[in-house]
Amino acid sequence: MSTAWYSSDCKGQRNETTRRIEAEVLRICKWENPVRSAIILVGLVASIVLTQRYSLLQIITGALTIAITVNLVYVFGTQFTQTVISDRPSTHPWSNVLENKDADLLNKESAVHYSSIVVDVAETVARAVTRIVLIEDRNTSLKWLAIFFTTWRISAYVPSRILILLFIISAFIFPRLYISNKDLIDARLHQGQAILNSQLQRTQEFASAKLATAKEATQSYVDKTKSAVESKTNTTLNANTSTTSVPSQKLD
């Protein structure tokens, strides 16, 4: 009983975490906070461009080089100012961080919290993929089949980084465009859906008519073949019967 309660509680917690993440991502893509959305967009695009031009080792060593250089200039300038201009003993500007041995640079509680979020998101994605692959809903599976097939074919000609870059930019552009032109886009979508449904209805009717015609032709052919076989069988039986009924002649 306790195990079932724990399982349902974890599932509810995961669903709640997933809903919060989805709402947060949607707020970012809708540009509800323009400064934050711009920073995230620039950061994502910059990271993709950098990883395309430079290796991960180059990025890490380059970032450490810049950080050390900036802090070297900052520490030297601060200590020089304290010694020469202020005429007082210099102190290290980062002494409060370096001398605080009890402070944790990595918060264990935050690490556990974010690790739990990653696990929850991974579980949600795995369940969604399972439902798509095992065809829980036919329309949803067909939609994702079209998306995956199109991406698979395009990726044969376009580099993956370009596709990811286009996806990120689209995710930040299209939601805002949709909100700005919601009525027009909805009208166009309804119009396109009506045309698509009409074409599907016509295709279904055409296929049904052709299937009925083929069924009738097949049934007619089967009937003719059956009649021919029966007629041939009857003719053979009649011939055998006539041969058997001929009287034998007596010898003088």
Side-chain angles (χ1 to χ4, degrees):
M1 182 72 179
S2 61
T3 304
W5 177 83
Y6 178 76
S7 177
S8 61
D9 183 64
C10 288
K11 186 176 180 180
Q13 214 172 21
R14 284 173 179 166
N15 292 335
E16 180 63 27
T17 302
T18 304
R19 281 193 292 269
R20 283 193 286 106
I21 293 174
E22 288 177 352
E24 187 66 25
V25 171
L26 196 59
R27 281 195 294 270
I28 293 172
C29 293
K30 286 182 177 180
W31 295 77
E32 293 184 2
N33 186 344
V35 176
R36 184 185 180 194
S37 297
I39 292 173
I40 293 175
L41 176 59
V42 171
L44 291 174
V45 172
S47 62
I48 292 174
V49 172
L50 286 175
T51 53
Q52 184 177 5
R53 292 188 152 204
Y54 307 102
S55 66
L56 186 61
L57 178 61
Q58 287 178 307
I59 294 173
I60 293 175
T61 53
L64 290 175
T65 301
I66 294 173
I68 292 172
T69 303
V70 170
N71 275 287
L72 189 63
V73 173
Y74 171 68
V75 170
F76 177 77
T78 302
Q79 291 180 337
F80 178 79
T81 302
Q82 291 174 352
T83 303
V84 177
I85 299 177
S86 302
D87 194 19
R88 61 180 181 177
S90 62
T91 59
H92 199 286
W94 297 112
S95 59
N96 56 340
V97 177
L98 297 174
E99 294 176 2
N100 190 357
K101 305 298 183 181
D102 297 329
D104 294 329
L105 295 178
L106 298 177
N107 193 328
K108 295 181 180 180
E109 294 181 358
S110 298
V112 172
H113 173 68
Y114 289 113
S115 299
S116 177
I117 290 177
V118 171
V119 172
D120 292 343
V121 173
E123 173 71 16
T124 303
V125 171
R127 288 187 178 276
V129 172
T130 302
R131 288 195 295 268
I132 292 170
V133 173
L134 299 182
I135 322 297
E136 181 185 46
D137 181 74
R138 186 177 59 184
N139 293 330
T140 302
S141 297
L142 286 175
K143 178 184 71 176
W144 282 104
L145 174 63
I147 293 173
F148 290 145
F149 178 78
T150 304
T151 306
W152 173 44
R153 297 308 302 164
I154 292 176
S155 62
Y157 305 99
V158 181
S160 300
R161 285 190 177 91
I162 300 298
L163 291 177
I164 295 173
L165 190 63
L166 291 175
F167 172 77
I168 291 174
I169 295 175
S170 300
F172 278 85
I173 291 177
F174 289 129
R176 191 63 195 173
L177 287 177
Y178 175 75
I179 293 172
S180 302
N181 305 277
K182 185 176 183 303
D183 296 334
L184 179 61
I185 294 175
D186 287 343
R188 295 298 183 187
L189 287 176
H190 287 307
Q191 184 180 3
Q193 187 175 6
I195 294 173
L196 180 61
N197 291 335
S198 176
Q199 293 295 332
L200 288 175
Q201 184 67 25
R202 291 179 182 177
T203 304
Q204 186 176 2
E205 292 175 356
F206 178 78
S208 300
K210 290 295 183 181
L211 184 62
T213 303
K215 185 177 180 181
E216 290 177 1
T218 304
Q219 187 64 38
S220 176
Y221 176 77
V222 170
D223 292 340
K224 288 180 179 179
T225 305
K226 186 177 180 181
S227 300
V229 171
E230 290 177 353
S231 177
K232 186 176 181 180
T233 303
N234 292 334
T235 302
T236 304
L237 290 175
N238 291 334
N240 291 335
T241 303
S242 300
T243 305
T244 305
S245 61
V246 174
S248 59
Q249 295 180 354
K250 295 182 179 181
L251 296 174
D252 292 337

